[in-house]
């Protein structure tokens, strides 16, 4: 196929075919075509990605034993057919591989490899067939003596006859040596299954027997003694009987096998499918490829994409490839790439074409796994020189023919790839035709990646809403390409610079610049200036959007904090009321007991009345709701949060920078630290004891004393014996006053350190269970002081990975987290750096 050859997919097919073990898989590689059905494409990708993970992590999955059995199973459906011995050996190996594969999927966790489990669900292994084969073949693949009683008897007789031959031939040889008929060092010779004695040709008639052969010189004859001939005939008859019995055993086995043939043929095809999928997965591992996201909004976003064939070639030369990042959308659906020759324009175009084709073929692609690809109904390409002497086509004629095909059949769901757009003819006419074709493609909404040198096309892209310029960057100082694509700005051919570097005479280059004229130079310079200005504006807009998002996040945070404070206030008040009610009930019981005692002592009625009045007064005092220090603190906190929220809202309306928030916070802190010592004491203030210069924090204020927390001790002190200090003074004094706490590991912690493993596998777990496991895992990692841990959660639909990372963001002990390297598992593993 011409398209596959031009983008290089034919070479990808060859790589996959080389990894196949069965001809079924090889034929599948050659026959498989790209799909336009989203569900089919994702089904193929999931199969390959799951197999990639199996090849990467699962040692128990069979790495060999993939054999074609369908070719000899199909003829066995006819009556009176028999399986041969080599085919029986292949069938045993294939069935053992099938058994191990099905056992693997049966024993793995429920949620692992769901797509591969799905295609394996209808395949069955028949243990009866395996038992029958094991009864016939031994470990070496030979027919057992016990395959049938008759075969056992034949082989025992055969071994007995062979023993007789060995003893008899040695006796004859010894006698011949004694008579001097043969040399003293002569040995028995076996040729074509016959046991022979070498004798000199001159005395060959003296040894009774048949001359079976002679040496090249004719001096030695090889004689088979008459006694041995008869024994040899008996042995050959037994061997024929052995073969007939083996044939009968295989025929009987085939008859027993025939009812299972339909299932065995299906199993053979399943083995071929697994081999095909495994070959794709192995090539994907070689390419360090992963599964991209299927775009549902008409966007094509390649992130750090690499051309797999170019990367393999550069790797052999110990060079690194420069990844490609580009985006196409419904609004900007055509990318016009310009830049110097040999700067990477064609590589960008081929990379997009090859990766898109691989994606729709069901192959993992070498990009970041956050890349998004669309599904196109058709892919058109015009690249290279298609001139034909037979069809009388010039280079430009072939380009025009391709343009006609594109304009006739392309739609808004097509991908168009054109290299060196408009080249091959007179520049003015070629550029005009190219611009007209580009306008038509822009109008129909087709997606495309197009390379060019024409300035008029760059100008068209600059003013078009559907076409975006892209430049291959160039190091003007070193006069060398950087092979990096930058969208949003046109590229320069740097023709004059390259001409100087290649050694073209300076006066010739200068003359060329003058002939090109200042208009050409100014156009290129102005285009670059426009692109730079646009890029600056885009960056500012992105920064403003980021600031808005951050402010919204802060507002939500403060709103949540306000709600928590209100809930805290309600809980404190409820608790205080409950405690007061308990005190009241206890006091009531105490008073009633006192009254009862008074009555029992026959006290006067007026004394009892006084006691009851005192009780009533006591109740009224307890039931009065007097504001406490906690209430005042809560009210102050709520007022601070509301004020902060108002400040944030005002900044957002003015589109202020985030740094304004930091400034206000700094002023607020400075104000807190700079409180005057003359202001009244409040709960939370920092104070110094005048007697011994120790520092502490006020925790409670009463009428005659205050409670001060000094280290871990709370003391009641008269207000006059302390003086207020700033937060900074408190911190400085605390460092010199209090010794740090000495930590030690208990025996249980030491044991947990020894048993702790820095990697955890939560694949197959439900979301809540997985989060619970990860929470305990991170707690243990924090306690034992591990610097880095890994969480293997798999990829799937990404929900488990996202929820785990949301949790990790809330853990203070987590410094950062990231994806594992692609070749080690990529987005299926989260590497967590702990903040020790």
């Amino acid at each position: 196929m011409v398209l596959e050859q031009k983008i290089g997919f034919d070479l990808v097919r060859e790589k996959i075919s080389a990894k196949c073990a069965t001809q079924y898989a090889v034929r599948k590689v050659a026959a498989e075509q790209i799909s336009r059905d989203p569900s089919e494409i994702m089904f193929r990708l999931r199969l390959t990605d799951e197999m990639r993970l199996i090849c990467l992590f699962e040692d128990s999955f069979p790495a060999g034993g993939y054999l074609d059995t369908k070719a000899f199973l199909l003829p066995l459906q006819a009556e009176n057919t028999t399986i041969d011995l080599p085919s029986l050996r292949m069938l045993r190996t294939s069935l053992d591989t099938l058994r191990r594969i099905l056992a693997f999927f049966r024993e793995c966790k429920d949620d692992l490899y769901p797509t591969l489990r799905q295609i394996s669900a209808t395949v069955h292994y028949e243990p009866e067939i395996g038992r029958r084969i094991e009864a016939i073949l031994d470990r070496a693949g030979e027919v057992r003596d016990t395959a049938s009683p008759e075969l056992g008897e034949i082989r025992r007789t055969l071994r007995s006859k062979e023993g007789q031959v060995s003893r008899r031939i040695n006796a004859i040889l010894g006698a011949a040596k004694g008579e001097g008929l043969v040399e003293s060092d002569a040995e028995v010779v076996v040729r074509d299954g016959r046991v022979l004695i070498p004798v000199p040709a001159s005395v060959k008639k003296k040894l009774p027997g048949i001359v079976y052969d002679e040496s090249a010189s004719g001096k030695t004859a090889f004689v088979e003694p008459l006694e041995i001939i008869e024994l040899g005939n008996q042995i050959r008859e037994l061997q024929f009987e052995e073969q007939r019995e083996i044939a009968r055993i295989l025929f009987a086995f085939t008859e027993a096998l025939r009812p299972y043939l339909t299932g065995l043929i299906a199993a053979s095809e399943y083995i071929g499918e697994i081999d095909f999928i495994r070959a794709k997965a192995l090539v994907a591992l070689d390419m360090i490829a992963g599964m991209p996201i299927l775009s549902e909004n008409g966007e094509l976003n390649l992130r750090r994409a690499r051309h797999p064939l170019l990367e393999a070639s550069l790797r052999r030369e110990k060079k690194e490839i420069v990844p490609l990042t580009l985006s196409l959308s419904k609004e900007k659906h055509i990318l016009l790439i310009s830049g110097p020759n040999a700067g990477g324009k064609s590589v960008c175009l081929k990379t997009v074409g090859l990766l898109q084709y691989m994606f729709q073929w069901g192959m993992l692609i070498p990009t970041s796994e956050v890349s998004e690809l669309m599904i196109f109904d058709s892919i058109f390409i015009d690249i290279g020189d298609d001139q034909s002497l037979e069809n009388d086509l010039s280079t430009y004629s072939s380009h025009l023919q391709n343009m006609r095909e594109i304009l006739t059949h392309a739609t808004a769901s097509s991908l168009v790839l054109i290299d060196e757009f408009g080249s091959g003819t007179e520049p003015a006419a070629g550029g005009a035709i190219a611009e007209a074709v580009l306008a038509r493609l822009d109008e129909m909404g087709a997606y495309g990646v197009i390379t060019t040198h024409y300035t008029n096309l760059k100008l068209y892209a600059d003013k078009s809403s559907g076409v975006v310029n892209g430049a291959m960057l160039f190091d003007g100082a070193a006069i060398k390409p950087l092979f990096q694509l930058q969208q949003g700005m046109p590229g320069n051919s740097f023709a004059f610079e390259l001409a100087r570097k290649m050694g073209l005479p300076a006066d010739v280059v200068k003359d060329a610049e003058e002939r090109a004229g200042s208009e050409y130079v100014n156009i290129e310079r102005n285009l670059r200036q426009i692109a730079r200005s646009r890029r600056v504006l885009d960056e500012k807009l992105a920064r403003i959007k980021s600031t808005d998002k951050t402010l919204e996040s802060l507002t939500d945070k403060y709103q949540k904090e306000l709600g928590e404070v209100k809930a805290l206030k309600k809980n404190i008040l409820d608790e205080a009321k409950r405690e007061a009610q308990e005190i009241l009930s206890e006091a009531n019981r105490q008073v009633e007991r006192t009254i009862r005692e008074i009555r029992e002592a026959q006290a006067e009625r007026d004394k009892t009345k006084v006691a009851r009045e005192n009780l009533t007064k006591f109740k009224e005092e307890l039931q009065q709701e007097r504001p406490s220090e906690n209430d005042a603190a809560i009210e102050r906190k709520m007022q601070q949060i509301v004020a902060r929220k108002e400040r944030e809202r005002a900044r957002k309306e003015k589109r202020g920078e985030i740094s304004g928030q930091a400034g206000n916070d700094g002023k607020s802190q400075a104000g807190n630290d700079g409180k005057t010592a003359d202001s009244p004491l409040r709960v939370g203030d920092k104070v110094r004891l005048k007697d011994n210069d120790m520092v502490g924090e006020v925790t409670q204020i009463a009428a005659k004393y205050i409670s001060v927390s000094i280290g871990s001790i709370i003391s009641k002190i008269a207000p006059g014996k302390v003086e207020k200090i700033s937060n900074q003074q408190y911190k400085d004094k605390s460092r010199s006053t209090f010794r740090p706490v000495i930590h030690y590991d208990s025996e249980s912690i030491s044991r947990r350190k020894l048993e702790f493993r820095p990697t955890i596998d939560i694949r197959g777990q439900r979301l809540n269970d997985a989060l619970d496991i990860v929470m305990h895992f991170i707690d243990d990692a924090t306690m034992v002081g591990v610097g880095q841990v890994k969480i293997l959660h798999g990829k799937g639909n990404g929900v488990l990975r996202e929820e785990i990372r949301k949790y990790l963001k809330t853990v203070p002990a987590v410094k950062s987290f990231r994806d594992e390297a692609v070749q080690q598992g990529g987005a299926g593993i989260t590497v967590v750096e702990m903040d020790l």
Side-chain angles (χ1 to χ4, degrees):
M1 189 175 180
V2 177
L3 174 60
E4 291 189 4
Q5 293 174 354
K6 288 192 172 185
I7 62 178
F9 186 74
D10 57 328
L11 299 179
V12 176
R13 282 191 194 265
E14 291 179 8
K15 287 179 177 290
I16 299 173
S17 294
K19 298 286 187 181
C20 295
T22 64
Q23 285 302 310
Y24 178 97
V26 171
R27 291 191 295 270
K28 183 71 180 285
V29 173
E32 189 90 329
Q33 299 297 319
I34 64 171
S35 174
R36 295 164 183 83
D37 180 6
S39 59
E40 173 65 19
I41 292 172
M42 296 309 297
F43 180 73
R44 295 180 186 179
L45 290 172
R46 283 193 295 269
L47 286 174
T48 308
D49 191 53
E50 290 175 10
M51 184 60 73
R52 180 182 68 90
L53 294 175
I54 288 175
C55 294
L56 198 60
F57 296 114
E58 307 288 357
D59 295 332
S60 60
F61 193 84
Y66 299 93
L67 300 176
D68 281 303
T69 58
K70 186 177 180 180
F72 63 78
L73 288 175
L74 286 173
L76 296 181
Q77 293 176 316
E79 296 292 332
N80 299 321
T81 53
T82 305
I83 190 170
D84 57 27
L85 201 54
S87 298
L88 184 61
R89 296 187 186 111
M90 291 177 63
L91 180 60
R92 179 171 74 168
T93 302
S94 180
L95 287 178
D96 183 63
T97 303
L98 175 67
R99 177 187 61 79
R100 292 168 60 198
I101 292 174
L102 296 180
F104 172 84
F105 289 121
R106 185 172 59 252
E107 295 168 3
C108 67
K109 295 179 181 178
D110 292 342
D111 295 335
L112 288 179
Y113 319 122
T115 316
L116 286 170
R117 288 163 65 96
Q118 176 185 338
I119 67 171
S120 304
T122 58
V123 182
H124 301 285
Y125 169 74
E126 296 292 344
E128 177 61 26
I129 299 175
R131 284 193 292 269
R132 285 178 175 268
I133 294 177
E134 290 303 318
I136 296 173
L137 299 180
D138 60 16
R139 289 187 177 183
E142 300 297 331
V143 179
R144 297 177 184 271
D145 293 353
T146 57
S148 74
E150 293 81 2
L151 182 61
E153 180 62 30
I154 291 170
R155 286 184 171 174
R156 280 192 295 273
T157 305
L158 183 59
R159 284 192 289 270
S160 175
K161 293 295 183 183
E162 289 173 343
Q164 291 182 32
V165 169
S166 177
R167 291 189 297 271
R168 200 64 211 120
I169 194 69
N170 286 326
I172 294 172
L173 178 61
K177 287 180 179 180
E179 296 175 3
L181 297 179
V182 299
E183 299 290 338
S184 61
D185 59 348
E187 298 288 343
V188 174
V189 177
V190 179
R191 291 192 176 182
D192 299 331
R194 295 178 179 273
V195 183
L196 309 173
I197 296 177
V199 299
S202 59
V203 296
K204 62 184 179 182
K205 293 183 179 180
K206 294 182 179 181
L207 182 65
I210 297 174
V211 178
Y212 185 77
D213 199 3
E214 65 178 17
S215 64
S217 63
K219 293 181 179 180
T220 303
F222 298 93
V223 179
E224 183 178 15
L226 291 176
E227 296 180 45
I228 302 302
I229 292 174
E230 179 60 27
L231 289 173
N233 290 337
Q234 294 176 14
I235 289 173
R236 277 187 287 277
E237 288 178 4
L238 289 170
Q239 289 173 341
F240 292 147
E241 287 184 33
E242 179 187 28
Q243 294 303 316
R244 286 194 295 272
E245 180 58 22
I246 290 175
R248 190 194 65 77
I249 292 170
L250 294 178
F251 181 80
F253 171 78
T254 306
E255 291 295 312
L257 184 70
R258 194 163 284 118
Y260 300 99
L261 283 177
T262 301
L264 289 174
I265 292 171
S268 176
E269 294 175 348
Y270 169 77
I271 290 289
E273 286 290 338
I274 293 294
D275 183 33
F276 167 67
I277 297 168
R278 188 170 180 274
K280 290 168 62 179
L282 292 174
V283 172
L285 286 173
D286 291 342
M287 293 179 176
I288 316 179
M291 187 170 74
I293 301 169
L294 176 62
S295 175
E296 298 179 352
N297 56 2
E299 292 187 1
L300 187 153
N301 296 304
L302 288 178
R303 297 289 178 265
R304 299 188 61 78
R306 310 178 314 278
H307 194 291
L309 305 177
L310 175 61
E311 184 176 29
S313 176
L314 291 175
R315 193 182 298 129
R316 288 191 293 269
E317 299 175 7
K318 309 293 188 206
K319 297 179 180 179
E320 293 288 333
I321 194 170
V322 179
L324 169 68
T325 295
L326 64 80
S327 298
L328 296 177
S329 63
K330 291 181 179 179
E331 294 74 25
K332 296 289 185 180
H333 50 91
I334 297 178
L335 174 62
L336 185 73
I337 305 176
S338 52
N341 288 318
K345 298 189 301 297
S346 298
V347 172
C348 289
L349 181 143
K350 289 183 177 181
T351 300
V352 175
L354 177 58
L355 299 193
Q356 180 65 43
Y357 200 92
M358 290 172 64
F359 171 73
Q360 293 193 219
W361 192 77
M363 183 65 187
L364 305 180
I365 60 175
T367 68
S368 166
E369 293 185 349
V370 298
S371 295
E372 295 182 84
L373 277 80
M374 299 171 51
I375 296 177
F376 294 104
D377 293 338
S378 54
I379 301 175
F380 298 93
I381 189 167
D382 178 42
I383 186 173
D385 188 354
D386 290 334
Q387 63 177 326
S388 170
L389 296 177
E390 292 81 2
N391 297 327
D392 193 25
L393 280 178
S394 67
T395 299
Y396 189 63
S397 298
S398 68
H399 286 314
L400 291 178
Q401 190 177 60
N402 291 335
M403 293 304 105
R404 183 189 63 194
E405 287 292 315
I406 292 172
L407 294 177
T408 302
H409 299 104
T411 66
S413 298
S414 299
L415 176 63
V416 178
L417 307 170
I418 304 175
D419 193 31
E420 299 295 347
F421 197 23
S423 63
T425 189
E426 191 272 323
I433 293 175
E435 185 174 346
V437 172
L438 179 60
R440 181 62 60 86
L441 294 175
D442 186 12
E443 179 183 342
M444 70 174 60
Y447 289 74
V449 177
I450 299 173
T451 69
T452 188
H453 286 286
Y454 287 158
T455 302
N456 66 309
L457 298 184
K458 302 176 194 177
L459 292 171
Y460 177 89
D462 188 62
K463 62 185 178 182
S464 169
S465 60
V467 184
V468 60
N469 272 306
M472 298 308 300
L473 299 184
F474 190 84
D475 187 343
I479 315 298
K480 67 175 184 179
L482 300 177
F483 305 109
Q484 294 178 359
L485 173 67
Q486 184 168 6
Q487 282 189 236
M489 61 178 292
N492 193 331
S493 64
F494 291 94
F496 300 128
E497 291 82 353
L498 287 172
R500 291 190 183 92
K501 182 180 180 181
M502 297 304 296
L504 209 63
D507 57 335
V508 173
V509 177
K510 183 178 180 180
D511 184 34
E513 288 178 329
E514 293 175 353
R515 291 176 183 272
S518 60
E519 182 179 356
Y520 170 82
V521 177
N522 289 336
I523 288 175
E524 292 291 331
R525 184 184 297 114
N526 290 337
L527 282 175
R528 288 197 295 273
Q529 182 60 43
I530 291 171
R532 280 193 293 269
S533 300
R534 178 179 293 176
R535 188 167 64 254
V536 170
L537 290 175
D538 289 343
E539 290 174 354
K540 287 185 177 180
L541 180 60
R543 190 161 55 248
I544 290 172
K545 289 181 178 179
S546 175
T547 301
D548 285 348
K549 188 175 181 180
T550 304
L551 289 175
E552 290 175 2
S553 176
L554 289 173
T555 302
D556 293 340
K557 175 184 175 183
Y558 295 147
Q559 185 67 40
K560 181 179 178 181
E561 188 177 352
L562 177 62
E564 292 174 351
V565 170
K566 288 182 178 179
L568 177 61
K569 175 185 177 182
K570 183 177 183 300
N571 291 338
I572 292 173
L573 291 176
D574 292 343
E575 180 68 18
K577 289 178 180 179
R578 185 183 63 79
E579 292 179 358
Q581 188 64 39
E582 291 177 357
I583 294 172
L584 180 61
S585 299
E586 180 63 26
N588 191 29
R589 287 192 293 271
Q590 182 65 36
V591 171
E592 291 295 338
R593 281 197 299 271
T594 303
I595 294 173
R596 186 167 59 253
E597 293 173 356
I598 293 173
R599 285 178 177 174
E600 291 173 354
Q602 296 181 352
E604 297 178 2
R605 182 180 298 274
D606 55 345
K607 292 183 179 180
T608 303
K609 183 177 180 181
V610 171
R612 288 187 178 276
E613 288 176 354
N614 291 336
L615 172 63
T616 302
K617 185 177 180 181
F618 176 68
K619 286 183 178 179
E620 292 175 353
E621 290 176 351
L622 284 178
Q623 289 174 345
Q624 289 178 358
E625 293 187 4
R626 291 173 294 180
S628 65
E629 291 82 358
N630 286 330
D631 295 341
I634 292 172
E635 289 298 331
R636 287 197 301 274
K637 181 66 176 177
M638 292 175 63
Q639 292 172 4
Q640 290 174 4
I641 292 174
V642 171
R644 190 186 304 166
K645 184 177 178 182
E646 284 296 319
R647 290 197 300 272
E648 294 299 339
R649 186 184 62 79
R651 284 196 199 91
K652 184 175 179 182
E653 291 177 354
K654 297 178 181 179
R655 294 200 179 277
E657 297 295 335
I658 297 296
S659 58
Q661 173 66 29
N664 288 337
D665 289 347
K667 292 177 182 178
S668 176
Q669 181 64 36
N672 289 337
D673 287 347
K675 292 176 183 175
T676 63
D678 297 333
S679 59
L681 288 174
R682 296 186 299 178
V683 173
D685 285 346
K686 307 300 186 295
V687 296
R688 178 171 48 235
L689 276 65
K690 296 178 180 179
D691 295 337
N692 54 20
D693 207 35
M694 296 184 70
V695 295
E697 180 179 350
V698 178
T699 60
Q700 185 178 357
I701 299 177
K704 297 182 179 179
Y705 67 89
I706 60 173
S707 296
V708 179
S709 173
I710 304 172
S712 59
I713 300 174
I714 298 178
S715 301
K716 294 181 179 180
I717 304 170
K721 293 184 178 181
V722 299
E723 61 179 355
K724 190 183 300 185
I725 60 175
S726 68
N727 290 338
Q728 187 60 45
Q729 290 173 314
Y730 173 80
K731 291 179 182 178
D732 294 341
K733 189 64 178 176
S734 296
R735 293 191 188 101
S736 60
T737 303
F738 302 116
R739 293 183 179 179
V741 178
I742 300 175
H743 296 276
Y744 64 93
D745 289 341
S746 67
E747 182 180 350
S748 63
I749 294 177
S750 299
R751 185 171 62 254
R752 294 179 78 168
K753 281 187 176 182
L754 292 174
E755 296 176 352
F756 183 77
R757 296 292 178 268
T759 301
I760 189 173
D761 184 356
I762 58 171
R763 291 177 296 172
Q765 298 289 340
R766 299 186 182 279
L767 179 59
N768 290 336
D769 296 338
L771 285 174
D772 187 60
I773 293 171
V774 170
M775 288 178 187
H776 286 85
F777 179 62
I778 294 298
D779 288 344
D780 289 347
T782 304
M783 183 168 56
V784 301
V786 176
Q788 183 188 87
V789 295
K790 296 182 181 180
I791 303 172
L792 174 57
H793 45 65
K795 296 175 184 174
N797 54 18
V799 174
L800 182 57
R801 171 177 176 268
E802 184 66 25
E803 292 301 322
I804 288 173
R805 295 192 171 192
K806 284 181 181 178
Y807 163 69
L808 292 175
K809 290 179 181 178
T810 66
V811 181
V814 172
K815 181 178 181 182
S816 64
F817 52 83
R818 66 179 190 279
D819 287 345
E820 178 61 283
V822 176
Q823 59 269 33
Q824 299 298 326
I829 300 175
T830 294
V831 180
V832 183
E833 300 290 344
M834 306 299 294
D835 190 5
L836 299 180

